[in-house]
Amino acid sequence: MRIIVAGGDGFCGWPTALYLSEKGHDVTIVDSLVRREIDNELHSNSVTPIASLQERVDKWKELTGKEIKVYEGDLNHYDFLSLVFKNERPEAFVHFAEQRSAPYSMIDRKHAVYTQQNNVLGNLNVLYAIKEFEPDCHLIKLGTMGEYGQPNIDIEEGYIEIEHKGRKDTLPFPKQPGSFYHLTKVHDTHNIMFACKIWGIRATDLNQGIVYGLNTEETKKDPVLANRLDYDGVFGTALNRFLIQAAIGHDMTVYGSGGQTRAFLNIKDTVRCVEIAAENPADQGEFRVFNQFTESFSVQELAEKTKQAAKDLDIEASIKNIENPRIENEDHYYNAVNTNLIDLGLEPYLLTQDVLKEILQEALEHKDRIIVDNVLPKVTWK
């Protein structure tokens, strides 16, 4: 298939682009490279050294003979996006190209507005480009499990059957997003659902859990293909932060009680889920939702698992509970459904001690790159 991976230079996008290329698809990356600029803004970096995007795709072609085309530009610029669609005529559009950090969206008014504009308007442009140029193109959109919040009922896949005053209907599952970033994903969901209804667009919303891991089989082929590993208090997810803190002998900082429970999946499952969605497209006019995760853990459980992995490598790691910079429930019910992708053939990679130790060893190898001041949270919701 002809597949565009928007945001193909990022943590999820880069390994996805390589995986789809390896599988024989004609892959094009669209990326503004703004994530690299944000590293400079935050005085932060990836623990793993990452080559430029052009160096990456050149190395991939050298190793495999497969070409990945690159367009550098912003989805918010419709003339640019139109050119990409006219040139590439995508059969699937994998949309990773959004500002993905909740803390970044909560820094101040400027960052909240940027996140909303970049994410919501960029996605709206993609919908119009599909309508105008490739109406049969399948939109595979990265959503988030964070759209749902932590309701005191089971989380279904996108929809829920409601009985009210003697009548029944199947409605979109209620959303309780926890940041201005998460709100953009909810707005995207509504816009995509509406576009499917009025224009007959086919779309799959992948409500992804928190991704952990680092390498895929493709990124391990050469150091130039290495994936990024974020660890700071803005872009580093809880598990990656704990691993990096353990590597430098810093307390693993658990926010609040640590009872916050979230859905997780391995980066290797991220790329496979995208492939499953591409090979099993939504019907014309269908807006379907897959809850894209494999396991659920509390933050405290992740810290304990990391502590054990560190101990196996003769590292004495300690856990410290600190004041929670976020406004969120810390002890709550959490049970989410994830049957659709499993039914379509996903065989999950689970969070094992070996997986944790692999990431920890990578962090130890590049320990000199870790900026210690960045491992603690600096952004508060209040």
Side-chain angles (χ1 to χ4, degrees):
M1 297 171 65
R2 295 184 303 279
I3 301 179
I4 289 176
V5 179
D9 188 47
F11 172 63
C12 291
W14 174 242
T16 298
L18 294 187
Y19 180 83
L20 294 173
S21 176
E22 179 72 12
K23 292 294 183 180
H25 298 290
D26 180 4
V27 176
T28 297
I29 287 176
V30 176
D31 202 298
S32 68
L33 307 184
V34 68
R35 180 64 189 88
R36 294 173 184 255
E37 295 173 16
I38 290 174
D39 271 346
N40 296 329
E41 175 199 346
L42 299 176
H43 305 290
S44 192
N45 61 339
S46 164
V47 175
T48 49
I50 49 173
S52 72
L53 179 55
Q54 194 58 54
E55 289 171 327
R56 286 171 145 186
V57 295
D58 287 347
K59 176 59 71 173
W60 180 249
K61 186 174 182 180
E62 176 190 322
L63 293 172
T64 68
K66 300 175 187 291
E67 180 181 8
I68 296 178
K69 284 167 279 188
V70 172
Y71 288 83
E72 183 179 338
D74 193 329
L75 300 186
N76 278 269
H77 300 155
Y78 193 68
D79 289 345
F80 163 75
L81 184 58
S82 300
L83 177 67
V84 174
F85 265 80
K86 289 175 185 176
N87 287 351
E88 302 305 327
R89 305 195 59 231
E91 296 167 275
F93 190 99
V94 181
H95 188 5
F96 286 124
E98 297 196 334
Q99 193 293 99
R100 63 176 177 84
S101 165
Y104 190 83
S105 76
M106 302 298 291
I107 291 174
D108 55 22
R109 183 202 64 83
K110 177 182 174 183
H111 289 81
V113 169
Y114 166 74
T115 301
Q116 296 263 329
Q117 288 180 333
N118 180 79
N119 294 4
V120 179
L121 301 186
N123 182 68
L124 195 57
N125 276 344
V126 172
L127 292 171
Y128 267 94
I130 291 173
K131 171 185 178 286
E132 186 173 354
F133 303 111
E134 290 295 329
D136 200 43
C137 176
H138 178 207
L139 174 60
I140 302 171
K141 169 68 167 55
L142 188 71
T144 169
M145 291 296 294
E147 290 186 38
Y148 300 120
Q150 297 87 45
N152 198 36
I153 59 173
D154 289 2
I155 297 172
E156 304 297 334
E157 298 202 74
Y159 299 91
I160 185 170
E161 186 177 279
I162 297 290
E163 183 172 352
H164 180 64
K165 293 184 178 180
R167 301 185 68 85
K168 285 184 179 181
D169 202 353
T170 299
L171 300 171
F173 197 94
K175 305 298 175 70
Q176 301 180 72
S179 73
F180 287 121
Y181 152 72
H182 289 100
L183 275 158
T184 68
K185 296 295 190 177
V186 175
H187 300 329
D188 287 343
T189 293
H190 292 153
N191 285 339
I192 298 169
M193 186 184 300
F194 185 64
C196 290
K197 179 180 177 180
I198 62 172
W199 298 331
I201 286 175
R202 56 182 83 228
T204 300
D205 202 1
L206 299 175
N207 279 347
Q208 181 167 261
I210 299 169
V211 182
Y212 63 85
L214 176 61
N215 292 311
T216 61
E217 294 307 311
E218 291 74 34
T219 63
K220 289 193 290 188
K221 287 181 183 290
D222 190 277
V224 175
L225 303 179
N227 200 16
R228 68 176 299 128
L229 178 59
D230 295 309
Y231 65 95
D232 59 50
V234 178
F235 277 87
T237 57
L239 183 57
N240 284 351
R241 280 196 311 105
F242 292 159
L243 289 162
I244 272 59
Q245 288 173 329
I248 61 173
H250 193 287
D251 290 336
M252 292 183 288
T253 50
V254 172
Y255 296 170
S257 70
Q260 307 94 311
T261 301
R262 299 290 184 269
F264 291 84
L265 81 162
N266 193 301
I267 186 68
K268 293 178 181 178
D269 286 328
T270 293
V271 302
R272 176 71 179 119
C273 288
V274 172
E275 180 189 32
I276 288 172
E279 292 180 345
N280 301 273
D283 294 331
Q284 188 173 24
E286 179 187 12
F287 175 70
R288 65 181 184 182
V289 180
F290 293 164
N291 287 346
Q292 183 173 304
F293 73 97
T294 55
E295 299 175 276
S296 297
F297 300 103
S298 72
V299 176
Q300 188 70 33
E301 286 175 320
L302 292 179
E304 296 290 350
K305 285 177 176 290
T306 304
K307 183 176 181 179
Q308 182 58 53
K311 184 177 181 181
D312 291 347
L313 296 177
D314 297 322
I315 297 171
E316 193 63 40
S318 58
I319 299 171
K320 182 179 181 180
N321 294 77
I322 65 172
E323 183 180 356
N324 193 344
R326 304 185 179 208
I327 305 298
E328 61 184 356
N329 294 330
E330 294 181 5
D331 297 286
H332 56 86
Y333 178 80
Y334 193 85
N335 187 44
V337 173
N338 65 335
T339 57
N340 285 339
L341 286 162
I342 302 295
D343 290 346
L344 287 172
L346 177 66
E347 298 177 358
Y349 290 90
L350 301 181
L351 182 58
T352 65
Q353 287 296 303
D354 286 341
V355 170
L356 291 171
K357 284 185 280 191
E358 179 188 3
I359 308 169
L360 185 51
Q361 285 169 328
E362 191 87 27
L364 290 168
E365 183 179 339
H366 300 291
K367 190 176 176 180
D368 61 316
R369 292 177 52 84
I370 299 170
I371 302 169
V372 178
D373 288 347
N374 288 351
V375 301
L376 288 173
K378 298 175 183 176
V379 180
T380 63
W381 265 226
K382 290 183 179 180

